[in-house]
Each structure stands twice: as C-alpha cells, then as structure tokens.
Amino acid sequence: MKLDNRGLQPPQPMMRTLEALEELGSGEQLTIINDRRPMFLFPELDEQGHKYEVHEQKDGSFSITITKNGD
C-alpha cells in the first residue's frame, strides 16, 4: 500500500499513516511519502513495534516504508 501525504499539514500525515497501518495485516508494508521527515511518527512506530526504512528523495521529500509488527 502506498500513501502520498505531500501537501498536508501536521498532524494529518501522521494520522493518515497510523489509520492506514491499522488496516494492514501483520508483516504487510505501507510506503508513505511526506514533504518532511516525520519526526513525531518514529517514536510512535517504535512503541508499536513496527520496523521502518527512511529514504530522502531527490526533491527533498521522504519515502518511508513501514513493515507492520507481526504480533
């Protein structure tokens, strides 16, 4: 699943991301694209046990692939 959060003001990108994660099954992945590095999202993902990889894009946006916790 892919979610483009560009152009949205905080906290909308984080809310949309967490809502989309709820719809996924264990081990499934969600890729989000944000205008900026989602600093407040990372502690939430860590707390929930999700894994993620962050890649800065050439245009300055960030692509984050999140793998839902398998618990």
Side-chain angles (χ1 to χ4, degrees), residues 3-54:
L3 190 62
D4 189 342
N5 290 324
R6 291 177 289 187
L8 300 176
Q9 295 299 313
Q12 287 181 323
M14 183 169 164
M15 292 171 48
R16 290 183 76 213
T17 299
L18 294 175
E19 287 173 5
L21 276 173
E22 288 180 13
E23 297 176 15
L24 297 181
S26 296
E28 291 187 317
Q29 291 187 324
L30 169 66
T31 299
I32 63 170
I33 302 172
N34 284 22
D35 290 319
R36 57 189 71 80
R37 186 181 293 269
M39 299 307 297
F40 295 109
L41 177 63
F42 298 140
E44 187 69 30
L45 295 176
D46 290 337
E47 184 177 310
Q48 293 182 18
H50 305 307
K51 296 181 180 171
Y52 53 91
E53 294 180 16
V54 181

